[in-house]
Amino acid sequence: MAAGGDDLRPLRLPADSLFLGFDCSTQSLKATVLDADLTVVAADSVHFDSDLPHYGTDGGVLRDPAERGRIVSPPLMWAEALDLLLGRFAARADLRRVAAVSGSAQQHGSVYWARDAAASLAALDPARPLAPQLAGALAAPEAPVWMDSSTAAQCREVEAAMGGAARLAAVTGCRAHERCTGPQIRKVYQTRPAVYDATERVSLVSSFMASLLIGAYACIDETDGAGMNLMDISTRQLRQDALQATAPNLEEKIGRLAPAHEVPRKISPYFVQRFQFASSCLVVQWSGDNPNSLAGLTLSSPGDLAISLGTSDTVFGITDSPEPSLEGNILPNPIDPKTFMVMLCYKNGSLTREDIRNRYAERSWDVFNRLLEATTPLNGGKLGFYYKEHEILPPLPVGYHRYVVKNLSSGSLDQMVEHEFDEFDHPSEVRAIIEGQFLSMRGHAERCGLPVPPKRIIATGGASSNTLILKSMASIFGCPVYTSQRSGMCRAYSSPLNNVLVPVSINSASLGAALRAAHGWLCNQQGEFVPFSCVYSGRSERTSLSMKLAVPFVDDEKNIELLNNYTLLVKKRLEIEQKLIKRFGQRE
Ligand code: ADP
Ligand code: XUL
């Protein structure tokens, strides 16, 4: 077996093989295909709202008008998206070449399988689409997703039973956040006991999708499993006390947890017959979208910080000595069993930026960017706190709050004062949301022990295509910002187009899943775990994995002075957050 380290020579992947990675995120199902040289040869996506309008989702989710904060998605929509995307690939390419498949999915969401669902999964008819065959296999037609914030009562109960929020965070990797799967399951048990009783197995979105592919219940992987408040972060096993604090008979409903690199099974006959996969095609454990992004960005240096600007905004890095906190999440690193991933998650990401764009910038990113450029860094002390959704960090309900901070030039927090404001001029609103989000990320990242200032930031997610947004990120964090190649040309691999370059957009989570598929294939071939870098080492510069510098950071006098002023604004912002929590918040 190869030893660890970056100078590893890559292990050979079979010539002509392909590796398929999915990302079942909040708004879409995306897929990336890599060849044996790790070049992206195809990418595609199904957008839930527009491609599957019959599910009636908005941004991929359904909001319950009868219960504030209850946000769900239909699992059958994800199954139908899988069918649709594979149908498109099968029409263009020879899926027999796919040696392994893996995937990524939004974290925390829970799917409730009915009794005997395993039998339905094993007996799918390849002549018929997937979704209608699964309708009877679900104990509930809807899955609560990560955006749900209706479990505050269950969070308090679980924390109390586990000896408090800090202890729960120390043993499971995070306190009980509303989106965590344990409190979500407890709510189903308490409020819909018939659904809970009828449930044979609870899957996360990741293991639900893997179950479809293997035609049996797939294990929850240890990385995504850390977002449940049920797994011991040190032993990576379910904890009896946490299971008991959540719901009865839960252990059998969750099943065994497995490492992210485990190769559970071969692809099921349904996919072999319907889409012509080889029956030898391996299905590698699916995991969460943030862990897969970590893999796709090949994040391996503790000085690097990744910031994902998707539906949620997340900030993450790696460490070998994680410090549990009340704000962040600690997860096992999906590609290195010896280290951990530390992550912050914001619910007000892209959809809230879009709301400000729609209100103040004519619904256009071009206008938004023009307004951003028309304002100066620091925004004249204007600070915005925009919560279109009930926020996780800080825990605050829906509401927009605006302040103007005076005396920033005094250089002292004591002399700075703030005044509440109703609404800023349009350009200032635009700068206030962008600067506000990054000031918050910097302040909270520092409190969770993430590297601040980082050596560099690697930005990903939909909004990372906006260089002006990244420019603000670089000034506030005081470091250069890199992006993975978000888009580029790839060789078409269907026969009439062979070797013709076609444009694709590359998503880091599905790219990470495709790399994890290749890694799982190698682990299976070697009969043991091999370091993840064996997949890409020595060839990342030549492939779709290479990073490019999006915004440099020059540490001249002007930029350092600006950075120092941002440091003061970070402190002021955290102070105002505390005041807002006292006024509106529901938690300590
Ligand atoms: P997810 O994977 O969570 O479904 P994505 O990472 O695909 O989401 O990001 C989608 C978001 O990207 C959209 O909601 C949109 O607001 C944002 N986005 C796309 N282009 C831009 C842009 N030029 N500037 C800012 N945000 C953008
Ligand atoms: C992470 C989280 C979100 C989802 C959305 O804890 O809840 O980032 O994974 O994709």
Side-chain angles (χ1 to χ4, degrees):
M1 186 179 107
D6 274 348
D7 52 351
L8 282 173
R9 294 186 69 77
L11 290 172
R12 201 175 280 279
L13 294 165
D16 216 32
S17 58
L18 298 174
F19 297 90
L20 172 55
F22 287 102
D23 175 31
C24 185
S25 70
T26 317
Q27 303 191 53
S28 60
L29 176 71
K30 309 175 184 99
T32 297
V33 184
L34 287 175
D35 67 11
D37 293 329
L38 304 187
T39 298
V40 173
V41 291
D44 205 343
S45 67
V46 168
H47 189 250
F48 300 136
D49 295 357
S50 52
D51 289 325
L52 301 172
H54 43 285
Y55 290 97
T57 56
D58 181 10
V61 302
L62 301 166
R63 288 157 204 272
D64 188 342
E67 188 187 342
R68 210 157 133 227
R70 180 164 180 262
I71 302 189
V72 298
S73 291
L76 293 185
M77 174 179 79
W78 300 324
E80 189 169 340
L82 181 66
D83 224 344
L84 186 60
L85 201 48
L86 283 176
R88 285 191 204 156
F89 275 137
R92 282 187 279 151
D94 181 3
L95 293 182
R96 266 175 299 218
R97 288 171 55 199
V98 178
V101 184
S102 188
S104 141
Q106 55 168 298
Q107 300 189 247
H108 316 288
S110 45
V111 180
Y112 299 79
W113 293 101
R115 235 164 251 126
D116 296 330
S120 312
L121 275 170
L124 293 168
D125 173 3
R128 293 171 54 216
L130 204 46
Q133 298 188 67
L134 290 170
L138 298 176
E142 293 162 339
V145 295
W146 71 276
M147 293 176 80
D148 183 284
S149 58
S150 67
T151 61
Q154 289 75 21
C155 288
R156 278 196 295 272
E157 288 163 5
V158 170
E159 286 180 349
M162 290 294 290
R167 179 161 181 277
L168 184 64
V171 296
T172 70
C174 66
R175 74 175 300 171
H177 294 284
E178 280 94 343
R179 70 192 192 286
C180 288
T181 323
Q184 290 288 347
I185 295 173
R186 182 168 177 76
K187 185 176 167 223
V188 172
Y189 158 67
Q190 288 179 335
T191 60
R192 302 164 81 206
V195 168
Y196 189 74
D197 283 348
T199 297
E200 181 171 86
R201 181 63 76 109
V202 180
S203 286
L204 297 184
V205 185
S206 54
S207 58
F208 168 76
M209 296 297 281
S211 301
L212 302 182
L213 288 171
I214 65 173
Y217 294 140
C219 294
I220 290 175
D221 97 283
E222 292 166 354
T223 302
D224 214 11
M228 299 194 293
N229 286 136
L230 294 174
M231 188 189 88
D232 189 303
I233 193 71
S234 337
T235 63
R236 300 176 187 198
Q237 305 280 324
L238 292 172
R239 282 185 69 100
Q240 287 306 322
D241 53 359
L243 288 163
Q244 274 156 26
T246 302
N249 309 319
L250 187 52
E251 189 169 11
E252 65 200 47
K253 293 184 201 276
I254 297 280
R256 181 177 74 88
L257 305 182
H261 55 84
E262 188 174 282
V263 179
R265 294 273 274 274
K266 301 232 167 88
I267 200 159
S268 87
Y270 177 85
F271 293 91
V272 173
Q273 288 166 43
R274 189 168 171 82
F275 301 108
Q276 285 74 55
F277 279 93
S279 55
S280 57
C281 174
L282 300 177
V283 180
V284 178
Q285 286 286 117
W286 284 47
S287 186
D289 51 3
N290 294 293
N292 274 283
S293 274
L294 179 142
L297 301 173
T298 59
L299 203 71
S300 57
S301 156
D304 283 350
L305 196 64
I307 297 188
S308 171
L309 303 173
T311 311
S312 60
D313 281 354
T314 56
V315 183
F316 52 89
I318 52 173
T319 176
D320 48 15
S321 50
E323 285 294 324
S325 75
L326 291 183
E327 300 193 332
N329 292 53
I330 296 168
L331 304 88
N333 183 337
I335 52 175
D336 176 5
K338 290 197 222 73
T339 62
F340 295 84
M341 173 176 179
V342 181
M343 179 180 73
L344 304 178
C345 176
Y346 291 85
K347 212 188 277 184
N348 288 277
S350 281
L351 299 180
T352 307
R353 282 186 287 276
E354 276 176 29
D355 189 51
I356 296 298
R357 179 202 65 180
N358 296 348
R359 286 171 190 234
Y360 303 107
E362 300 167 32
R363 311 182 81 82
S364 144
W365 289 122
D366 285 342
V367 177
F368 186 94
N369 284 351
R370 275 208 298 281
L371 297 184
L372 194 55
E373 276 186 309
T375 51
T376 48
L378 299 169
N379 212 13
K382 299 188 193 81
L383 277 182
F385 300 75
Y386 300 97
Y387 307 122
K388 182 176 175 289
E389 304 287 345
H390 184 112
E391 182 49 75
I392 300 163
L393 206 54
L396 278 172
V398 172
Y400 285 1
H401 315 278
R402 299 165 177 94
Y403 292 85
V404 177
V405 176
K406 297 269 185 234
N407 300 341
L408 186 62
S409 56
S410 68
S412 142
L413 197 60
D414 293 341
Q415 291 183 39
M416 285 158 61
V417 283
E418 75 272 6
H419 300 288
E420 272 190 70
F421 227 79
D422 282 342
E423 198 174 30
F424 303 140
D425 55 278
H426 292 195
S428 301
E429 290 283 348
V430 164
R431 184 164 284 277
I433 186 160
I434 296 303
E435 290 198 341
Q437 289 176 327
F438 295 142
L439 289 169
S440 172
M441 287 180 196
R442 191 182 136 183
H444 289 285
E446 200 160 18
R447 292 213 307 218
C448 284
L450 282 163
V452 176
K455 286 203 190 96
R456 61 173 184 169
I457 290 174
I458 303 174
T460 182
S464 67
S465 62
N466 189 327
T467 309
L468 277 182
I469 291 182
L470 301 188
K471 210 170 146 194
S472 231
M473 188 189 272
S475 309
I476 290 174
F477 279 86
C479 71
V481 176
Y482 287 72
T483 52
S484 54
Q485 287 190 2
R486 283 179 321 272
S487 60
M489 304 298 279
C490 79
R491 248 188 355 259
Y493 65 103
S494 56
S495 41
L497 288 176
N498 243 347
N499 291 325
V500 175
L501 289 176
V502 293
V504 286
S505 131
I506 302 168
N507 151 264
S508 60
S510 61
L511 174 65
L515 278 175
R516 289 185 45 254
H519 180 234
W521 188 93
L522 285 174
C523 293
N524 191 57
Q525 187 216 33
Q526 302 283 308
E528 59 187 336
F529 177 84
V530 298
F532 190 67
S533 50
C534 289
V535 183
Y536 64 82
S537 181
R539 51 187 173 192
S540 55
E541 293 312 311
R542 287 181 282 115
T543 69
S544 312
L545 303 181
S546 60
M547 295 292 154
K548 74 171 197 276
L549 179 61
V551 185
F553 181 77
V554 184
D555 58 352
D556 59 16
E557 208 178 311
K558 192 167 137 251
N559 285 337
I560 294 298
E561 192 192 330
L562 180 60
L563 185 62
N564 290 339
N565 280 325
Y566 276 131
T567 304
L568 282 174
L569 269 190
V570 168
K571 291 190 179 136
K572 190 71 203 165
R573 188 177 174 94
L574 293 182
E575 219 180 79
I576 299 175
E577 273 186 13
Q578 283 312 309
K579 290 185 189 163
L580 288 171
I581 292 174
K582 280 212 181 87
R583 227 161 104 194
F584 303 106
Q586 288 148 11
R587 274 191 175 184
E588 73 276 19

